[in-house]
Amino acid sequence: MAEPLDLEALKQQAAVRATDLVRSGMRVGLGTGSTAKYAIEEIGRRVGSGELTGIVGVATSEASDVLARQVGIVVEPLDPRPLDIAIDGADEIDPQLDLIKGLGGALLREKLTEIQTGTLVIIADHTKTVAHLGQKAPVPIEIARFGFLSTIERLRAILPGGRLRQPGAQPYVTDNGNYIYDGQLPPEFDPAVLERQLKGTLGVVETGFFLGMATHAFVAAPDGVQEYRRR
């Protein structure tokens, strides 16, 4: 039972380190998921204590929007103005800081938000680092509900392994009203080429490949938090 608690503590350590990059007056992209929640809570704590002032958050999911408001962060909808920084988790981080995201289901809003910052900071525990993308996680693919079985057939022509995300009797539905297909990745592939193939498939809304976007990562391990920067 101890290990999950240890991982939660590591996630929190990474989140606190990332929050040190937030300055008063910033517009901040607020990520989604079990690690990003610690960053939202820490920003809220600093706002409440007066360490940070004039912070405006832009949330990447309805859940993060609710949490941010609960901890006292002013939240605004996404608009064309750039963000000063965004902090989010990831399901996989490779040595180039390319990512797979979306196991939490918020990949479309995360990408729409985080593309608007020049500083995307990823926070994670050490289990999320991989030698290459697809080593541990599938790639989540958000697809339109209309005709989804046909879309899945087209996706299986590219990624034969995979399944519609269905945690219960009904398929998982994103904040955008779409479904998610979790595609099993082959042992060897070019992420940029595969992303273009997937995005060009009728019925696909977005993929969980976040390539060339992250600028920093704080990865917490039992021996401390390591900072990585995109080369």
Side-chain angles (χ1 to χ4, degrees):
M1 292 294 291
E3 186 164 350
L5 293 174
D6 290 343
L7 286 182
E8 291 306 308
L10 294 178
K11 292 176 184 181
Q12 191 166 19
Q13 290 168 23
V16 169
R17 281 287 300 276
T19 305
D20 289 340
L21 299 178
V22 178
R23 300 284 181 264
S24 292
M26 281 187 166
R27 286 171 54 79
V28 183
L30 304 174
T32 295
S34 63
T35 308
K37 75 168 187 177
Y38 289 117
I40 296 172
E41 290 169 350
E42 179 63 16
I43 293 168
R45 186 194 69 76
R46 297 185 190 194
V47 168
S49 70
E51 295 171 65
L52 291 173
T53 59
I55 296 294
V56 174
V58 177
T60 57
S61 65
E62 292 173 10
S64 292
D65 186 297
V66 169
L67 176 60
R69 294 175 193 273
Q70 285 174 346
V71 299
I73 300 172
V74 173
V75 181
E76 293 182 353
L78 183 67
D79 63 30
R81 288 176 293 167
L83 300 173
D84 296 295
I85 191 171
I87 302 175
D88 205 353
D91 302 304
E92 286 192 345
I93 307 169
D94 80 2
Q96 290 74 47
L97 299 193
D98 286 335
L99 316 169
I100 285 178
K101 290 172 50 55
L103 293 187
L107 61 111
L108 176 58
R109 293 193 188 189
E110 287 170 343
K111 195 175 281 189
L112 284 168
T113 303
E114 290 158 9
I115 200 70
Q116 291 187 201
T117 182
T119 306
L120 172 57
V121 183
I122 298 301
I123 50 178
D125 66 77
H126 61 100
T127 67
K128 305 299 187 185
T129 58
V130 294
H132 59 84
L133 296 183
Q135 187 174 327
K136 299 177 181 178
V139 60
I141 305 163
E142 188 156 344
I143 62 175
R145 286 168 79 170
F146 180 80
F148 71 96
L149 291 174
S150 300
T151 301
I152 287 173
E153 283 302 302
R154 287 187 283 273
L155 285 172
R156 284 185 172 145
I158 302 168
L159 293 175
R163 61 186 178 82
L164 183 70
R165 188 176 299 181
Q166 188 163 329
Q170 299 297 322
Y172 175 88
V173 179
T174 70
D175 285 349
N176 317 298
N178 299 318
Y179 290 159
I180 290 183
Y181 180 79
D182 291 309
Q184 197 63 44
L185 292 163
E188 293 185 13
F189 66 97
D190 182 322
V193 171
L194 181 55
E195 184 188 32
R196 285 195 297 272
Q197 279 185 289
L198 294 173
K199 288 290 293 286
T201 300
L202 187 61
V204 169
V205 180
E206 190 50 81
T207 83
F209 285 124
F210 283 55
L211 309 178
M213 292 178 63
T215 55
H216 302 64
F218 290 98
V219 178
D223 58 351
V225 179
Q226 192 78 27
E227 180 180 2
Y228 299 91
R229 293 179 181 241
R230 177 173 293 280
R231 297 190 192 99

